[in-house]
Each structure stands twice: as C-alpha cells, then as structure tokens.
C-alpha cells in the first residue's frame, strides 16, 4: 500500500479548529456579537459623557462628583455585555464535541437573545433617565433578570456539555471514515444553524421593549404621584367630582397662575358655574412645585421656569388646591377655585377638602401609610443588643499651622434610618447621615464644598462659617444638579450648616444639618474631644418623613444628640480620670434651644459663640454648670472628671432630656 500523505498529521491537528470556526461562522455565534456591539455603543456613549462632564464642569471637584454617574453604563452596558458576548462565543468552543455540539451549545446560549438584548439595554437606559425612584427600581429588576437569565443558560449549557463528554467520545474524535453522515439541516430553506427568522428577532425585541414599558407602568403605579400627568388623564374624577351635577355652559374660563415664594399668584380664581376651567401654570420660583386640586386634577412636578396647562374640567362647586411637595402646603402654598353664578359651595358641607397635612407627596404627615412613628417612640425603650452609638469623638484639625484648603463633596441622599429604638424615618441627609459630616479647620483655612443633589426634591446648603452673599452659593438646586460653595473661615467657633430651601424648618428637622468647627487661635490641646449636635425630631409615619404640621406648630416628639434618642446612655463615650475633656455642642434645632449640663461635673472653660466666657487662668474665675445655646448657636466647654463612675449629660430643659436629649460619660482610671 502506498504511504499516507505527508500532511495527514497536520490535517488531524487543525481539523477541530477548522470546523469550530466554520460552525460559528454559519451564524450560531452571531447572538454573541450583538451584545458586544451594544457594549461598544455604551462605551462610546460613556466616553462622550465623560468628555461632556470635563468640558462643562466649572471645577475638578464638581467634575469628580459627576463622574460616578457613568458607572452604570460602563459596568452594565459595556463590561457586562461584552463579557456575555464573549462567553456566548467561547464557551461552545471550550466545550467542543464536534460541529453539531458546538452549534447546539451556541444556540442554547443564544436562546431568546432578541428579548434579552432589547430588555437589558432599554431597562439600563431607563435607569439613567430622571424617572421616579420606583420606576428606576423596577427597571433595575428587569436588568438583573436579564443577567440572571444568561447565567441560567450558561449553567445549562456547561452541564449538558460535560454530560455529553462523559457519555462517550465526540464525533470529531472518530476517524473521518467512521463519522456519521451529516444530518439534513432542520433550518428551513437552507437557513444556517443558529440564525433566527426575522419575524422572531423582531418579535423578541418587541417583547423585551414591552417588558420595560410594563416596568414603567408598575413603577408608576407604586409611586403614581411622582409621574407627570396628562391634563386629561389627571382629571379622571374632575368632570364627575368638580361639576356637582351642574349643567355645562359650553364655555371655557382660562386663567394664569404663577408659583413663586411658596405662594400661588393669584391665590384664588373665580369661574362661572358650569364653565370648563383651564389653568395655565408656570413656575417662577427657584424650587420645584406642582398644583393639585381636590377633584383629582393635577399638574406634574414643574422645575423652575416650567409651564403646564391644567384642565380642571367643568366646575360646579368650590375647589381647594395645594402644592404637594412635602412641607409646601404647610407653608401656606394653597389655592382656591371659587364658583360664581351658581349654587357653589362644597359638595359635602362647608368644607370638603382635606385638612393641611392629609395630602401631598411623601405625605404631609410623614410620607408613608401605616403606623405612626410617634406612637412607636418610647423614651425608655432600650436599643437592640449590640447597639453602637454614633462616634462622638472629634479628631483634631488636620494640617500644620499655615492655611490649607479643605475640599469635600456632600451628596444629598434620602435614606431610612432608625432614630430611636423601633422608630424609623426617611431622612434627607448630607452624605447619608444625620447630622451630616463634620468639617474642621482653623482660622484662615478655605473650604471648597461641592453639593450634589441625589434627592427627589430641590435642596441647598447654607454655611454659617462663611460670610458671603447667599444669592448664588446658597441657591436651591434641582435633583441631579450640583454646585460648589467656597468660603474662607475668618472667625472661630462651632458653626452650623444646613439646607435653606423652603420650608427651611422642615428640611432641618428631616436631617439636613451639620457642623463646621473652626478652632480658636492657639487652642490648647485636650486629651479627649467630643461633638454633640442637639436637634428636634417631629415624627411622621414609620418610614416616612417629618411631620410638617408638627414642625410649624413647634411640637417635637423627641430631642436628641447626634441624631438618635438616648444613644449615649446605652453606649457611653469612655474617658479617664484627670483627662482634660473638651465637649463641643451645637444646637441645630430647628426650634429647640439647649442647656447642656454634665451631672456631677463642673466646667472650668466655657467658649460660647466665638468668645471665652470662662477660662481657668482668669483671675477670680469660678465655674460654670451649663452651656446655654439658642437654636443655631454653639460653643464648647472643658472639664476634668475627679473620680471613676458614670456621669450623665443632658439638656437641662428637662422635658427635652426626658424626650431623648441625654447620655453619659463612662469614666475609668
């Protein structure tokens, strides 16, 4: 017999690679290329977004604060999709088993790819848009479901491939003469394996987009008040609830209403009975507002400069209206529709509208349905085992004797936090904590603070430590915006910072406050330093925001140090006998003063509102028993503890101490 061809060995060696490439080239690998292409598009879009951020940001800190917005498109859009596309191509190659096995594995990984590709990218785009938080959450769930679906397909493919290997040799391992004849393709009209019919591709993509639309609908149903409402749809009950059976005249009354300064201008309008009322609403203020009528008609949330037409329908009775942004109604932002020439009046007696606080986004009485947080508050309740109080220890000012620049980004976040045992409130915070982060420096230092608003309503920041015109740096910024506040500390003291957006009292009561400590020149060292910020709590519903009516009526449910009732009574700060202890105190309010007192201790140093009232080396100096502070004022006291034991500290306004404004120092040798 003649010798085998010289190239037969190499033919055997390259045959698997050859048929793998041909198999994937016929289309079974194509579903893996599409997410790679989509990932490339997200990468290009992210790079364009980065370029826009760098070009449009007035400072590097502001640019750095905006860059994290690119995390989702880069991580989920580019990296995740590119990885999924690569796995769709590579896993069948690694599993092997012959052309048919490779095509089958690739087809399994590409199962439903039009749906997954459309739903995943559309839901990611949805999450990047300025949509209500509930819609964003549901969209994120859809995106997570798409990623999990691929992982399920991947596990199934790998398991089947491994079982096939254990079941026997692959088709490609057999000599060419022993390989079974190729089976006729199951694809119609010669369609390559793995390719989908056009109508199936379009149908799958349409189904994916439909899933995202459904996610928007579900999210909107969860938080319907946050969605823009078409004037016709908004008045679903307007024609029935507002007309009170009056005969329609066929005429339309159109009025213009402006929103500015926590008021509607005009505050009321007149409309002939039976006329259709159309209200042209425009926002001339510097905060977001809307207009809600008791009939159910309402506008969407209007940003400053925004306009919308509200069709209130045929009107046959007086109607009350208000702004539903939390706290705005309690501030007096109400509106009235007065009917003339008919029976007028309310459909249910002298007043059919809700009392202040019974409506509004987040709920004017707390923002959530369910148990009242005030009824759950027990001043004597103990926290759960393992409770750890917020660290009250204050680190010294950083840097040397020369002036330095302190740069910090404060991001507004809405977060549900426990404020007493078993009591939870949705706080508006600077940086996720209430009080916000502590800033410390020396006279002559410069503070450059970038405020980023990741909340759902407008916010601002007012630094008492800076002296400058408030028009621009303290202005209210809308959700998604940022600004940089720069000031030089020219005078010492413990200074308050807070949100100054109206109603300021509510924003402070809901957690938007903090302290800037500027050391007096030649401040002596102390072995221990602590910061206690006293504030008032006006509890709404469990998990809701503060009760605006209680804030306006000056009726706090609790008074606390560092954001949690009685926390230092259960986790006291530790000091030693003979150590000089300096305690900085700020009364953040918004309404309650403080009378700080340490039971069993006497102050030999008192520094209040920028000046020493008492120093141990003053001739004939005595001692002090209390540091009295009005809301928004601060200072510090110093003392030493003569012997071991537990020394309570309180606000000596004893009703406030009994509502949570107390703690203790644990003194050891």
């Amino acid at each position: 017999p003649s010798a085998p061809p010289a190239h037969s060995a190499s033919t055997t060696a390259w045959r698997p690679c050859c048929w793998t490439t041909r198999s994937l080239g016929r289309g079974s690998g194509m579903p893996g290329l599409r997410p790679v292409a989509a990932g490339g598009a997200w990468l290009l879009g992210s790079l364009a977004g980065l370029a826009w951020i760098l070009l449009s940001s007035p400072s590097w800190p502001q640019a750095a604060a905006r860059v994290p917005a690119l995390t989702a498109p880069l991580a989920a859009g580019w990296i995740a999709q590119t990885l999924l596309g690569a796995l769709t191509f590579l896993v069948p190659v690694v599993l092997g088993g012959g052309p048919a096995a490779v095509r089958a594995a690739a087809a399994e990984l590409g199962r439903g790819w039009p749906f997954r590709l459309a739903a995943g990218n559309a839901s990611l785009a949805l999450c990047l848009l300025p949509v209500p938080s509930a819609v964003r959450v549901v969209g994120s769930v859809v995106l997570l479901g798409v990623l999990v679906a691929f992982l399920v397909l991947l596990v199934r493919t790998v398991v089947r491939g491994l079982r096939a290997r254990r079941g026997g040799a692959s088709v490609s391992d057999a000599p060419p003469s022993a390989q079974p004849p190729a089976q006729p393709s199951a694809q119609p009209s010669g369609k390559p394996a793995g390719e989908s019919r056009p109508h199936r591709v379009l149908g799958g993509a349409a189904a994916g987009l439909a899933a995202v639309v459904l996610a928007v609908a579900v999210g909107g149903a969860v938080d319907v008040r946050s969605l823009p409402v078409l004037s016709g749809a908004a008045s679903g009950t307007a024609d029935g609830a507002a007309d009170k059976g009056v005969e329609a005249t066929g005429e339309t009354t159109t009025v213009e209403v402006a929103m500015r300064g926590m008021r509607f201008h005009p505050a009321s309008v007149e409309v002939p009975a039976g006329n259709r009322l159309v209200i042209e609403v425009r926002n001339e203020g510097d905060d977001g507002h809307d207009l809600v009528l008791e009939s159910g008609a309402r506008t969407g949330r209007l940003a400053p400069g925004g306009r919308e037409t509200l069709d209130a329908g045929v009107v046959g009775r007086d109607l009350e209206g208000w702004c539903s942004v939390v706290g705005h109604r309690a501030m007096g932002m109400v509106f009235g529709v007065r009917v003339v020439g008919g029976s007028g009046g309310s459909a249910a007696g002298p007043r059919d509208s809700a009392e202040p606080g019974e409506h509004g986004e987040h709920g004017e009485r707390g923002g959530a349905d369910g148990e009242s947080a005030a009824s759950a508050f027990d001043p004597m309740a103990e926290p759960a085992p393992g409770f750890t109080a917020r660290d009250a220890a204050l680190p010294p000012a950083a840097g040397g004797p020369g002036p330095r620049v302190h740069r910090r980004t404060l991001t507004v976040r809405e977060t549900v936090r426990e404020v007493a045992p078993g009591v939870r409130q949705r706080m508006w915070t600077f940086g996720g904590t209430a009080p916000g982060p502590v800033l410390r420096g020396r006279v002559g230092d410069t503070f450059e603070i970038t405020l980023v608003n990741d909340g759902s309503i407008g916010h601002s920041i007012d630094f008492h430590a800076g002296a400058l015109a408030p028009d621009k740096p303290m202005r209210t910024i809308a959700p998604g915006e940022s600004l940089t506040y720069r000031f030089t500390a020219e005078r010492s003291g413990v200074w308050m910072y807070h949100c100054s957006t109206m109603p300021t009292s509510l924003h402070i009561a809901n957690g938007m406050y903090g302290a800037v400590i500027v050391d007096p020149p030649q401040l002596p060292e102390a072995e221990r330093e602590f910061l206690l910020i006293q504030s008032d709590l006006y509890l709404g519903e469990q998990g809701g925001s503060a009760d605006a009516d209680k804030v306006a009526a000056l009726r706090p449910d609790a008074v606390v140090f560092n954001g949690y009732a009685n926390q230092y009574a259960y986790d006291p700060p530790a000091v030693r006998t003979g150590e000089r202890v300096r305690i900085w105190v700020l009364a953040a309010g918004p309404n309650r003063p403080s009378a700080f007192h340490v039971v069993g201790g006497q102050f030999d140093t008192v520094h209040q509102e920028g000046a020493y009232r008492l120093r141990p080396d003053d001739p004939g100096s005595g001692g002090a028993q209390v540091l009295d502070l009005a809301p928004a004022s601060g200072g510090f006291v110093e003392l030493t503890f003569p012997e071991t034991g537990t020394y309570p500290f309180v606000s000596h306004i004893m009703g406030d101490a009994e509502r949570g404004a107390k703690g203790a120092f644990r003194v050891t040798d």
Side-chain angles (χ1 to χ4, degrees), residues 233-547:
S235 56
T237 59
D239 288 345
D243 61 13
K244 196 186 176 184
V246 71
E247 182 178 351
T249 64
E251 298 182 1
T252 298
T253 299
T254 302
V255 297
E256 293 188 356
V257 175
M259 301 182 290
R260 60 179 183 271
M262 290 293 163
R263 292 294 184 272
F264 292 101
H265 302 272
S268 64
V269 297
E270 293 183 347
V271 55
N275 278 20
R276 178 174 292 276
L277 175 62
V278 175
I279 307 174
E280 301 287 348
V281 185
R282 64 183 185 276
N283 186 357
E284 297 179 352
D286 57 2
D287 197 1
H289 297 293
D290 59 18
L291 172 58
V292 179
L293 298 180
E294 62 174 296
S295 63
R298 62 178 295 154
T299 68
R301 182 68 55 78
L302 299 181
R307 304 175 66 95
E308 187 171 332
T309 299
L310 173 62
D311 186 348
V314 175
V315 179
R317 66 180 180 91
D318 293 350
L319 297 173
E320 298 297 326
W322 57 87
C323 176
S324 73
V325 176
V326 61
H328 289 196
R329 188 182 186 186
M331 288 290 295
M333 199 166 182
V334 295
F335 179 76
V337 177
R338 303 294 173 249
V339 171
V340 294
S343 59
S346 174
R351 178 174 172 83
D352 192 34
S353 62
E355 292 298 321
E358 293 180 359
H359 295 284
E361 184 170 345
H362 301 298
E364 293 284 323
R365 294 190 181 277
D369 296 328
E371 179 189 5
S372 167
S375 63
F377 174 57
D378 178 4
M380 303 302 293
E382 297 185 7
F387 170 80
T388 301
R390 173 171 171 149
D391 190 2
L394 182 68
R404 61 169 298 178
V405 177
H406 304 267
R407 293 185 174 88
R408 189 72 177 263
T409 296
L410 299 180
T411 301
V412 175
R413 295 191 178 94
E414 297 180 5
T415 177
V416 176
R417 302 184 63 85
E418 189 174 67
V419 297
V423 179
R424 300 179 66 80
Q425 292 283 269
R426 178 173 293 278
M427 311 297 289
W428 306 335
T429 70
F430 294 111
T433 63
V438 180
L439 309 175
R440 189 173 191 181
R442 299 181 175 88
V443 174
D445 285 1
T446 297
F447 292 82
E448 186 176 286
I449 310 300
T450 298
L451 176 67
V452 180
N453 188 356
D454 276 356
S456 61
I457 61 175
H459 293 291
S460 59
I461 194 165
D462 173 5
F463 282 100
H464 294 190
L468 69 170
D471 304 62
K472 293 183 179 180
M474 301 182 194
R475 69 183 186 274
T476 296
I477 61 173
E481 295 183 357
S482 62
L483 64 79
T484 298
Y485 190 128
R486 184 181 177 92
F487 65 92
T488 299
E490 299 178 351
R491 296 175 177 85
S492 63
V494 51
W495 303 89
M496 182 177 177
Y497 70 84
H498 62 89
C499 179
S500 58
T501 298
M502 295 290 286
T504 302
S505 58
L506 180 62
H507 284 245
I508 296 173
N510 218 50
M512 303 198 76
Y513 61 90
V516 179
I517 295 179
V518 181
D519 289 357
Q522 301 177 344
L523 179 68
E525 291 187 3
E527 284 85 358
R528 305 276 183 174
E529 285 190 273
F530 300 98
L531 171 63
L532 299 173
I533 302 178
Q534 180 183 306
S535 63
D536 327 338
L537 293 178
Y538 302 81
L539 302 175
E541 303 290 346
Q542 278 282 32
S545 54
D547 189 315

Side-chain angles (χ1 to χ4, degrees), residues 138-171:
V138 179
S140 301
V141 171
V142 174
L143 178 59
L144 179 61
V146 169
L147 298 177
V148 171
F150 178 82
L151 294 179
V152 172
L153 294 174
L154 179 62
V155 171
R156 288 178 53 183
T157 302
V158 172
V159 170
R160 289 181 178 180
L162 295 178
R163 286 178 177 174
R165 282 192 172 187
R166 287 196 298 267
S170 67
V171 176

Side-chain angles (χ1 to χ4, degrees), residues 185-192 197:
S185 174
Q187 299 294 325
S189 64
K191 191 76 174 175
R197 296 179 179 178

Side-chain angles (χ1 to χ4, degrees), residues 638-659:
E638 296 179 7
L639 75 164
T640 57
F641 293 97
E643 59 184 3
T644 61
T646 300
Y647 292 73
F649 60 80
V650 297
S651 171
H652 219 285
I653 302 173
M654 296 311 298
D656 291 346
E658 292 161 358
R659 287 184 289 185

